[in-house]
Structure formats: structure tokens, C-alpha cells
Amino acid sequence: MKDYSIFIMIAVVGLVLWRKTRAMSRPVKGRGLKLLLPLLFILIGIPGFLNPQLHLTLKEILLSILCGLLMSIPMILTTNYERREDGQIYPVKSVAFIAVILVLIGLRLGLRSYLSGLDSVELGMLFYLIAIAYVVPWRIFSFMKFRRIHGSLRPLDPDVRH
């Protein structure tokens, strides 16, 4: 069963990297609200905390959140936007961003091996907490960076829409 989960994870990582690299060549549309959509999608797992088999300690919860917050820092630093000649806002192409994603996945695999003694439900929820703790700040800061550039667009150019 473990072989299948690693294969699935590699496939998902490959799809994420492929999608992110393709997105770097497309403009962010509208007011950038799509940057915040993952925050809604990530909320789907919150009912998992109601599982009666889940017995997480406060220490485990706080360490997971701290680990996720630390992981969000390189994601925030490597996510940037630029306005190009066509007046549209694009994500800045960054090899560092892809490297950060790969390092985060390596850390996740390492933590998974290190924490293998935990119950699978508890392990899953700890990784969910880590994901929340790095996706939420990363996406919020990304949206703020986008809005800063979007707000700097003045209606001097009639082709630029707000």
C-alpha cells in the first residue's frame, strides 16, 4: 500500500509543478481573487478534527502549525508578480519557487518517515495542519503582492481594465 501512496504523491506533485510552470506564462485575471480559492478548498478537511479516533496533543498541534508557518516563508519570498508590456499582471518565473516546492515535498516525505509510529489518522491530520499553516499565509501574501501591483495600475492606459 505504501508504494501506491508514494506513486500517487509523485503524480500529484508532477501535476502541481506542471500546472504552476504553465501558470507562470499566463496573466492573472481580474482582481486576483482566484489566488484565494485554495483557501476555500483547504477548508474541506476541517471536519476531520471531529473524528473520535483523533487524539492529538497540544504540542503536536503547535509544532505542526509552527512547521507550516516556517514552510510558508520561502513560498512567500519566491512568489512575485510583474506587470508586462501588455498591461497584464503575470507571476514572475522563478526556478527558486519550483526548488522550494521540491524541498517542501522532500521535507514532507522525511517527516512522514520520521513520524511513522503515529496512527495514520493522526498523521494525516498533522500534515493537514502543516498544509493549512503554510498555504493560508502564502496565499494571503500572494494576493496582497498581486493587489499591490494591481493597485499601481493607473487608468492612464485605456487598454488596462480594473
Side-chain angles (χ1 to χ4, degrees):
M1 186 70 169
K2 256 186 173 178
D3 295 333
Y4 290 123
S5 65
I6 290 173
F7 175 74
I8 290 171
M9 185 177 153
I10 290 170
V12 168
V13 168
L15 287 171
V16 167
L17 287 174
W18 174 72
R19 188 170 186 277
K20 285 292 180 190
T21 54
R22 279 190 58 204
M24 288 180 185
S25 62
R26 294 185 177 149
V28 179
K29 300 287 185 187
R31 298 181 178 263
L33 292 175
K34 281 185 176 181
L35 298 171
L36 298 175
L37 277 178
L39 301 180
L40 294 175
F41 300 141
I42 205 165
L43 295 177
I44 293 170
I46 287 183
F49 287 109
L50 302 174
N51 186 341
Q53 295 176 341
L54 190 63
H55 303 290
L56 296 176
T57 65
L58 182 61
K59 180 181 174 183
E60 291 169 335
I61 292 170
L62 291 176
L63 286 173
S64 294
I65 292 171
L66 178 64
C67 183
L69 289 173
L70 289 173
M71 289 178 164
S72 74
I73 293 169
M75 297 295 284
I76 292 167
L77 294 175
T78 58
T79 302
N80 293 301
Y81 300 92
E82 65 184 358
R83 182 169 68 155
R84 295 192 187 155
E85 305 82 39
D86 62 1
Q88 304 257 356
I89 300 173
Y90 291 80
V92 173
K93 293 181 181 182
S94 171
V95 175
F97 178 79
I98 294 169
V100 166
I101 289 177
L102 292 173
V103 167
L104 289 176
I105 291 164
L107 284 172
R108 185 183 187 281
L109 284 173
L111 282 173
R112 185 177 179 186
S113 298
Y114 181 73
L115 299 172
S116 62
L118 288 177
D119 178 53
S120 63
V121 173
E122 293 172 356
L123 186 62
M125 289 313 289
L126 287 176
F127 280 122
Y128 176 70
L129 274 175
I130 290 171
I132 288 175
Y134 85 80
V135 169
V136 169
W138 170 44
R139 286 303 181 146
I140 290 172
F141 275 92
S142 294
F143 179 72
M144 289 174 16
K145 286 179 177 184
F146 174 83
R147 292 300 295 169
R148 188 176 310 126
I149 292 175
H150 186 272
S152 71
L153 296 176
R154 300 287 176 233
L156 298 173
D157 186 357
D159 294 333
V160 177
R161 291 188 205 167
H162 288 278

